[in-house]
Amino acid sequence: MTSNFKVVQEIDVNGHKITKFRSAQTGLSIVHVYNEGPIVNGYFTLATEAFDDDGCPHTLEHLVFLGSELFPYKGVLDSLANRALANGTNAWTDVDHTAYTIATAGSEGFLNIMPIYIDHILYPTIDDAAYYTEVHHINGEGEDAGVVYSEMQGRENSAASIMDLTRQRIMYPENCGYRYETGGLMSSLRSLTAEKIRQYHRDYYRPDNLCLIISGQVDHKKLLDALEPVEERIISKGPLPPMKRPWVESPQAPLLSETTKTTVTFPSEDEDMGEVAINWFGPPVRDFLAFQALDIIQTYLTDSAVAVLKKEMVEIEDPYCTSVDFTASQRIRVEIRLRFDSVPTEKLDDVEPKLMSILEKIALDGFDMDRIAAVIKREKLKLLDRIETDHLTLAWPCLVHSLYGKKDDSDLRDFVDDIKNLDAVAQFDNTTWVKYLREYYIDSKRATIIAKPSAAHATKQAEDEAKRIEEQKERLGSEKLKALDEELQQHRNKNDAPVPAEVFDNFRIPDVKGIEMIKVVTGRSVPNDQFNNEVQEHLNKDPAHIPYFVEFDHIKSEFVEFTLYFTSTGLPARLRPYLDIYFESFFSLPLVDPATKEEIHYEQVVKMLDSDTVSRDCGNGVGSSFRQLALVVLKTERAKYSEGIAWLQKMTWNTRFDADRLKVIATKLLNDIPQQKRDGSRMSQSCMEFIAYDSEKSNLSALNVLKQAKFLPEVIKQLEQQPQAVIDDLTELRRILTSPSNIHIQVQGDILRQDQPKTAWAQHFGPMTTSNAVAPIPLSSQVWSAAGQAPGKTGFVVNMPSIESSFAIHVAHGPSSFMDPDYPALVVLSECLDTLEGPFWKQLRGSGAVYGAYLRVDVESGFLKFVIYRSPDALRAYNLAYKIVDDYASGRSKFSKRELDGAKASIVYRIVQKEETISQAATESFMNQVLKNVSANYNKELLERIQSVTPEQMQHVMDKYLSKVFQPDSSIVVVTSATTKVKDISEGFKKLGFQLETKNLDDI
């Protein structure tokens, strides 16, 4: 073991061991959080502090990936990461830190890539060529570009960013780093220099300011051995001057001296809905008891339909907003933010007075102590569940500790052990809770920010930007623009210098056989020869008969998760648009006892559900797939197995559709739509779904936000005039959905510790009719529209004044069977093209043409998609992408064996990552065996098929599928764009043979 590193802390949190090491010579620190599972996660974190809006922390985060002293080649880190069984690398920049991340399948690749990653962090090249392409430049058209610039262009004028910057300016003085936009404002990025970024690196990127947080199964000796050459290299650089610790040793911001209210505008064509945020300072970051108390108060106020703020401001006929949520950011002093989304503009000024009157009433009347106790109990269970299911749960407080904890690490346990603090606040009396409410929310000075939507702002923004670009072109002149274009090409050529083959040859790809997967053992509710295991034997001993399809997936967990999968194939077209209303109301309707006809008010139902469950959810689709299915998910403690099943029975069949509740829910859904319509990426997807799917048979089409914007006002009107008609429709929808033949059920948890796992279903879940053949799992590819069945000659260019960039999606047919022999080759081809440092990354992102561009092989929908995310010009991005694909299709470009091997290795991570935690592994087991109708070992078999893909097979799928994505007669295209670019993009695609209609969202 490397002698420089000493263990400075060892603690245990619910069976998860956390070990912190520090080097006595270099100050480099490591935190290892032990978690079972096949994935190892790394969060390499530095405290970063900036005192202007130039964006040094963010730009440096990008430049780190463009080469290091030992590996001075752009993109080599990501290419090697793929060979380490990762899906490249990533990073984020927050106001107080920068974190560099990597996740690998197994620990071998992680330990191999870690020293190379650290070399990039501590010793990056940061040359002028990298700065020019990655941060900011002016292209030959006179437009500002660069990866960072494009990113900030896409978000600087969003409502959230405008409100955040306003909050920072109000709450912090000029000598405080929390005041500034660490991402960089566009005006500042245009004048930033590479040398300023290099100096910022010298100031903050030091080993004694670097903490390597690692979560997963990693041997400590191997970990420290892997760091030995890193230590030696750091020491060889010589001693560093003393460093002032960021944030902790900086001047501290004073508390707010007055309560303020500030109104800002943001660009939006739709002026119906705005936003409100109310901000306070909380306790110092190390006051863990106060932080926990405030977290409980915030949960008490907002966690469900019966929480007082939601009850009085959201769940009413004339709501103040569609959602209300707290965020507590752990800075040197905690920042508390209460955000009200989708506030009707006429109510924007009423939100704060209403909030304060509610809080004053609580302070006067006291808290509901029974509900406080229930909230604490549930929060404790949710924490234990997150420790099982989310590896960041313990890694995150370790990261916060690295920024603000004591230098001797003696308080690490205080940062990570929330259970202790939950137990402590459980002893508080009402007086204590009121004291915290008054001290931090009522009596504390606050900063209220009101964001009003403004079409005039959108118009002026577009006009000002067009004028600035035109003046810039005139100022530079044609000769200078030509020279800038040539300079850009020179920098690109330097950045794209080839990496010597031996760099990759010396980096061995780990053997996938060494990856330890989580074991899931499956049984079914009826005896099944397919499952010859202890779980099926246990189930067979339970004599109960269940007329439903139930799969039991056994994992070692203290919780049980139940999921009902409803098949929606039989719904008539007139009922399908109700699905969102139905599931939004699913857990918040009055409950009727079928025997006595006694009714329980929905508020009491919600309280009872909170008492018996850890979490619950429902909605349409399994993530972004299987959208013809609808889901209800409920999780309980293992000991409440029967209660969980009983609740599913009650909420599925015994609720009463109440017209007033339905109107509240429909209004909330309607008020959320303007915010969704400001999202360029989301609207490109919505418009594509509008075109590609059958309006009568497809859930994606029926629930499309553009259609719901017209459907919901009609429902609300009908609920006011003829409520029984809506209730009858929903009753019919429920009857069809909940037919036993339309329900597939999954149970995941410790099945062997349930004495009679089937009997509980027989006793508590019904109606117990005779068994019917279960309906087949429907696929989105079965409900295409005419345009979806024969893509080509159709699409939109959509004018969106609320955005400053453009987004696009190009769709053609792909494989529609998970066992299609072409599927593995198409996955490999897609990975080769859009992997980090692949052709799309280098030539699209690297040139500043996009922030992101990627391919998606969506078997369930039967589509192959090319997506452009946040581009200054989606037409230019398409042209570049088309040339790349055409070069490979024609043979002018070829993938090397190294690129092919790297892509296959990266796919290993993506497949293994689906089974990262016990819950994910159980869900994946069900998806494979039931939804995809493939074997339980499908992922393992797919890995083997991926490894055997040949260049010839890739050429075959290139010709059969991918080339068609870029052809006018075989693809559907949707572009959403800032107003200033709509005409050029539309005319440009027309010249290429595409027939795209120019639309406004409201015209679709």
Side-chain angles (χ1 to χ4, degrees):
M1 184 176 287
T2 306
S3 59
N4 286 352
F5 286 97
K6 303 296 182 187
V7 175
V8 293
Q9 279 292 318
E10 276 186 298
I11 58 180
D12 184 280
V13 179
N14 203 46
H16 293 257
K17 187 177 179 183
I18 301 176
T19 308
K20 183 158 189 176
F21 304 85
R22 179 174 281 109
S23 167
Q25 276 198 266
T26 66
L28 180 65
S29 59
I30 314 158
V31 178
H32 175 234
V33 181
Y34 177 82
N35 277 306
E36 290 187 7
I39 301 297
V40 178
N41 288 280
Y43 310 93
F44 304 158
T45 305
L46 304 109
T48 45
E49 190 174 21
F51 298 94
D52 55 40
D53 298 313
D54 286 357
C56 282
H58 184 209
T59 54
L60 180 53
E61 172 221 303
H62 280 248
L63 292 171
V64 156
F65 295 102
L66 273 68
S68 71
E69 288 182 2
L70 294 180
F71 298 87
Y73 313 103
K74 177 180 179 288
V76 67
L77 178 63
D78 284 317
S79 296
L80 291 176
N82 290 345
R83 297 174 71 85
L85 305 185
N87 187 22
T89 58
N90 210 334
W92 72 72
T93 302
D94 203 339
V95 70
D96 58 359
H97 72 275
T98 306
Y100 295 88
T101 63
I102 186 166
T104 64
S107 63
E108 182 182 347
F110 185 92
L111 296 177
N112 290 343
I113 194 68
M114 179 177 62
I116 300 170
Y117 206 156
I118 295 171
D119 194 64
H120 279 73
I121 293 170
L122 293 179
Y123 309 114
T125 51
I126 318 182
D127 60 26
D128 290 342
Y131 170 85
Y132 200 84
T133 59
E134 190 73 12
V135 179
H136 174 259
H137 61 266
I138 299 173
N139 62 27
E141 303 297 317
E143 299 165 332
D144 296 272
V147 177
V148 174
Y149 190 87
S150 295
E151 179 184 352
M152 298 311 295
Q153 184 180 48
R155 71 176 178 88
E156 183 173 308
N157 286 299
S158 67
S161 291
I162 291 170
M163 294 173 79
D164 279 345
L165 190 62
T166 304
R167 167 185 56 80
Q168 290 169 267
R169 296 294 202 247
I170 292 170
M171 296 184 75
Y172 296 102
E174 292 186 3
N175 68 341
C176 180
Y178 296 126
R179 178 183 175 87
Y180 299 98
E181 172 55 80
T182 51
L185 295 179
M186 285 188 287
S187 58
S188 299
L189 289 170
R190 292 195 287 266
S191 59
L192 181 62
T193 65
E195 179 50 39
K196 181 167 184 178
I197 299 171
R198 285 190 280 264
Q199 183 58 53
Y200 189 86
H201 181 272
R202 289 190 286 269
D203 290 341
Y204 291 96
Y205 278 53
R206 303 161 42 119
D208 52 356
N209 189 38
L210 175 61
C211 182
L212 311 176
I213 299 164
I214 300 164
S215 174
Q217 297 187 78
V218 181
D219 179 84
H220 285 179
K221 183 179 186 309
K222 291 179 180 178
L223 171 62
L224 298 181
D225 286 347
L227 286 170
E228 190 170 353
V230 174
E231 274 284 284
E232 292 173 355
R233 180 159 164 72
I234 294 170
I235 292 168
S236 73
K237 294 282 186 177
L240 292 168
M243 178 188 187
K244 184 185 77 170
R245 190 177 176 193
W247 307 110
V248 176
E249 297 178 7
S250 295
Q252 302 304 306
L255 294 174
L256 291 172
S257 59
E258 60 180 346
T259 290
T260 61
K261 181 184 287 189
T262 307
T263 299
V264 297
T265 62
F266 64 91
S268 176
E269 191 175 18
D270 188 320
E271 296 186 325
D272 291 339
M273 298 289 163
E275 316 287 332
V276 176
I278 302 177
N279 307 275
W280 298 266
F281 279 120
V285 68
R286 294 181 193 164
D287 189 344
F288 306 103
L289 190 64
F291 182 72
Q292 187 64 75
L294 299 191
D295 184 63
I296 294 299
I297 289 174
Q298 290 163 187
T299 305
Y300 174 93
L301 291 171
T302 62
D303 72 330
S304 70
V306 299
V308 62
L309 292 187
K310 288 196 173 175
K311 179 181 173 182
E312 298 198 27
M313 300 188 76
V314 180
E315 303 289 334
I316 55 176
E317 188 171 326
D318 186 18
Y320 288 82
C321 57
T322 62
S323 66
V324 51
D325 293 292
F326 280 99
T327 302
S329 301
Q330 289 170 284
R331 312 301 185 203
I332 197 75
R333 178 176 285 278
V334 172
E335 275 181 29
I336 302 168
R337 192 175 321 158
L338 179 58
R339 187 178 172 104
F340 300 82
D341 288 331
S342 299
V343 179
T345 48
E346 66 273 15
K347 285 181 174 288
L348 285 168
D349 289 316
D350 301 333
V351 167
E352 184 193 28
K354 177 64 175 176
L355 167 73
M356 298 314 296
S357 70
I358 292 170
L359 298 185
E360 284 283 7
K361 188 173 189 305
I362 295 172
L364 186 65
D365 297 345
F367 285 81
D368 177 342
M369 292 303 289
D370 289 338
R371 183 162 144 70
I372 280 281
V375 167
I376 294 171
K377 178 188 174 186
R378 196 159 189 252
E379 285 302 294
K380 190 171 180 179
L381 289 172
K382 287 166 72 173
L383 173 60
L384 295 173
D385 179 47
R386 287 198 304 273
I387 291 173
E388 277 191 4
T389 58
D390 183 359
H391 291 168
L392 197 56
T393 301
L394 293 178
W396 178 258
C398 294
L399 186 155
V400 176
H401 175 264
S402 73
L403 304 177
Y404 301 115
K406 293 180 180 177
K407 220 168 185 180
D408 65 1
D409 300 299
S410 60
D411 58 350
L412 177 60
R413 178 178 291 279
D414 295 327
F415 277 81
V416 299
D417 193 1
D418 286 343
I419 293 172
K420 179 185 70 174
N421 295 316
L422 282 165
D423 289 339
V425 299
Q427 306 305 313
F428 285 2
D429 58 14
N430 216 323
T431 302
T432 306
W433 288 113
V434 170
K435 171 182 169 292
Y436 276 106
L437 181 69
R438 284 206 170 277
E439 180 178 354
Y440 288 104
Y441 302 95
I442 297 174
D443 298 337
S444 179
K445 305 299 183 186
R446 59 190 179 274
T448 297
I449 299 161
I450 297 171
K452 288 186 174 180
S454 169
H457 186 147
T459 301
K460 185 175 187 303
Q461 176 179 289
E463 291 173 349
D464 288 351
E465 179 64 2
K467 181 182 177 183
R468 188 187 68 79
I469 293 296
E470 197 55 42
E471 290 175 349
Q472 184 164 271
K473 288 180 181 178
E474 291 180 10
R475 184 179 73 252
L476 294 170
S478 59
E479 290 301 313
K480 179 62 175 175
L481 289 175
K482 183 179 178 182
L484 286 171
D485 197 45
E486 291 171 355
E487 184 179 3
L488 176 60
Q489 193 55 52
Q490 290 171 5
H491 288 313
R492 283 185 194 157
N493 292 339
K494 182 179 180 184
N495 286 341
D496 293 336
V499 182
E502 59 266 22
V503 172
F504 300 102
D505 294 340
N506 293 334
F507 194 96
R508 190 176 72 84
I509 296 176
D511 187 345
V512 297
K513 293 178 182 176
I515 301 170
E516 294 184 32
M517 303 299 289
I518 294 169
K519 185 180 180 182
V520 179
V521 186
T522 298
R524 294 271 169 85
S525 54
V526 295
N528 195 314
D529 293 338
Q530 179 185 350
F531 304 108
N532 183 19
N533 56 56
E534 58 182 344
V535 172
Q536 189 64 59
E537 290 175 5
H538 182 61
L539 292 167
N540 292 347
K541 292 175 184 176
D542 184 344
H545 171 73
I546 315 170
Y548 296 91
F549 176 99
V550 186
E551 174 167 304
F552 297 85
D553 288 309
H554 173 75
I555 50 176
K556 292 181 179 179
S557 173
E558 292 303 311
F559 301 92
V560 183
E561 184 171 285
F562 311 95
T563 306
L564 308 184
Y565 294 80
F566 297 103
T567 300
S568 67
T569 307
L571 288 177
R574 65 183 178 81
L575 297 182
R576 203 172 292 278
Y578 282 107
L579 280 168
D580 273 353
I581 296 175
Y582 175 66
F583 284 108
E584 188 71 19
S585 67
F586 193 89
F587 287 115
S588 60
L589 290 171
L591 193 59
V592 179
D593 187 313
T596 66
K597 305 303 180 185
E598 290 183 5
E599 181 169 305
I600 304 174
H601 191 271
Y602 88 89
E603 290 183 14
Q604 185 60 28
V605 173
V606 173
K607 288 180 180 179
M608 293 162 67
L609 274 166
D610 285 348
S611 177
D612 281 342
T613 67
V614 177
S615 62
R616 55 189 183 269
D617 196 10
C618 54
N620 183 60
V622 185
S624 60
S625 291
F626 295 98
R627 300 300 289 272
Q628 291 301 100
L629 293 174
L631 274 65
V632 170
V633 186
L634 188 147
K635 181 175 280 192
T636 69
E637 301 166 73
R638 181 172 49 81
K640 290 196 172 184
Y641 181 85
S642 294
E643 288 92 331
I645 297 169
W647 272 114
L648 287 173
Q649 146 83 22
K650 294 171 186 174
M651 304 313 293
T652 303
W653 283 288
N654 299 345
T655 52
R656 179 179 67 80
F657 293 114
D658 178 81
D660 291 337
R661 286 295 299 147
L662 294 173
K663 186 181 175 185
V664 165
I665 287 160
T667 302
K668 184 166 61 171
L669 289 169
L670 180 63
N671 288 350
D672 257 339
I673 288 176
Q675 187 177 41
Q676 297 175 51
K677 289 170 71 174
R678 298 177 196 130
D679 185 328
S681 177
R682 182 165 189 164
M683 286 303 98
S684 65
Q685 181 67 34
S686 292
C687 291
M688 178 60 67
E689 292 164 358
F690 182 91
I691 295 170
Y693 291 100
D694 188 310
S695 61
E696 294 191 355
K697 298 177 181 178
S698 164
N699 294 346
L700 277 170
S701 178
L703 301 177
N704 190 298
V705 64
L706 302 173
K707 291 186 177 180
Q708 290 285 302
K710 298 170 183 176
F711 172 73
L712 289 168
E714 291 299 316
V715 173
I716 293 168
K717 182 179 178 182
Q718 201 166 23
L719 283 166
E720 292 170 344
Q721 299 176 357
Q722 294 178 299
Q724 193 58 44
V726 176
I727 291 170
D728 289 345
D729 281 347
L730 286 166
T731 302
E732 185 181 354
L733 181 148
R734 174 164 62 187
R735 178 185 60 78
I736 295 169
L737 272 188
T738 61
S739 166
S741 61
N742 279 335
I743 303 177
H744 290 75
I745 301 171
Q746 186 205 17
V747 182
Q748 59 173 263
D750 198 330
I751 307 302
L752 296 176
R753 292 174 73 181
Q754 299 296 335
D755 291 337
Q756 291 186 303
K758 288 162 51 178
T759 295
W761 286 94
Q763 291 176 344
H764 299 289
F765 194 78
M768 285 296 157
T769 60
T770 54
S771 299
N772 295 314
V774 68
I777 298 296
L779 301 176
S780 298
S781 59
Q782 296 165 348
V783 290
W784 288 333
S785 65
Q789 292 172 32
K793 304 295 185 183
T794 186
F796 299 149
V797 177
V798 183
N799 174 36
M800 291 188 63
S802 59
I803 63 177
E804 286 194 80
S805 49
S806 59
F807 302 81
I809 179 167
H810 301 248
V811 168
H813 281 169
S816 56
S817 166
F818 292 97
M819 294 304 295
D820 191 310
D822 289 335
Y823 177 52
L826 192 54
V827 170
V828 174
L829 175 61
S830 300
E831 185 68 24
C832 282
L833 285 167
D834 67 24
T835 188
L836 293 177
E837 294 308 320
F840 285 170
W841 181 273
K842 287 181 178 179
Q843 297 179 54
L844 293 174
R845 181 179 164 106
S847 68
V850 300
Y851 181 70
Y854 54 87
L855 291 161
R856 285 295 175 265
V857 186
D858 188 346
V859 175
E860 192 272 329
S861 74
F863 286 130
L864 175 60
K865 305 172 184 178
F866 173 62
V867 179
I868 293 169
Y869 181 80
R870 200 179 288 158
S871 168
D873 183 348
L875 174 64
R876 175 172 174 257
Y878 161 82
N879 284 326
L880 288 171
Y882 172 71
K883 184 179 186 308
I884 293 167
V885 170
D886 191 55
D887 283 347
Y888 281 98
S890 65
R892 289 189 295 272
S893 298
K894 294 182 182 295
F895 293 112
S896 66
K897 183 179 183 302
R898 170 185 63 77
E899 290 171 313
L900 193 56
D901 289 345
K904 290 178 178 179
S906 183
I907 293 168
V908 170
Y909 166 78
R910 287 205 280 118
I911 293 174
V912 172
Q913 190 262 344
K914 294 178 181 179
E915 304 179 34
E916 179 175 2
T917 66
I918 54 175
S919 180
Q920 287 174 295
T923 300
E924 189 69 11
S925 174
F926 183 86
M927 284 189 67
N928 282 338
Q929 296 179 88
V930 180
L931 305 189
K932 296 180 181 178
N933 194 28
V934 295
S935 77
N937 295 321
Y938 175 76
N939 288 350
K940 182 180 179 182
E941 293 162 0
L942 180 59
L943 284 175
E944 293 172 357
R945 294 165 66 198
I946 292 288
Q947 297 307 314
S948 65
V949 166
T950 65
E952 291 74 23
Q953 290 172 320
M954 292 169 64
Q955 184 65 51
H956 167 72
V957 296
M958 173 79 80
D959 298 336
K960 184 176 179 180
Y961 298 108
L962 184 55
S963 293
K964 293 180 179 178
V965 174
F966 295 88
Q967 299 299 328
D969 59 354
S970 56
S971 67
I972 305 170
V973 180
V974 171
V975 179
T976 51
S977 171
T979 304
T980 53
K981 277 290 182 180
V982 167
K983 183 179 178 182
D984 290 345
I985 289 173
S986 185
E987 291 178 353
F989 273 109
K990 186 176 181 180
K991 290 176 183 177
L992 296 173
F994 291 89
Q995 298 177 12
L996 306 185
E997 299 177 71
T998 300
K999 297 271 191 180
N1000 294 316
L1001 282 174
D1002 291 341
D1003 299 331
I1004 297 173

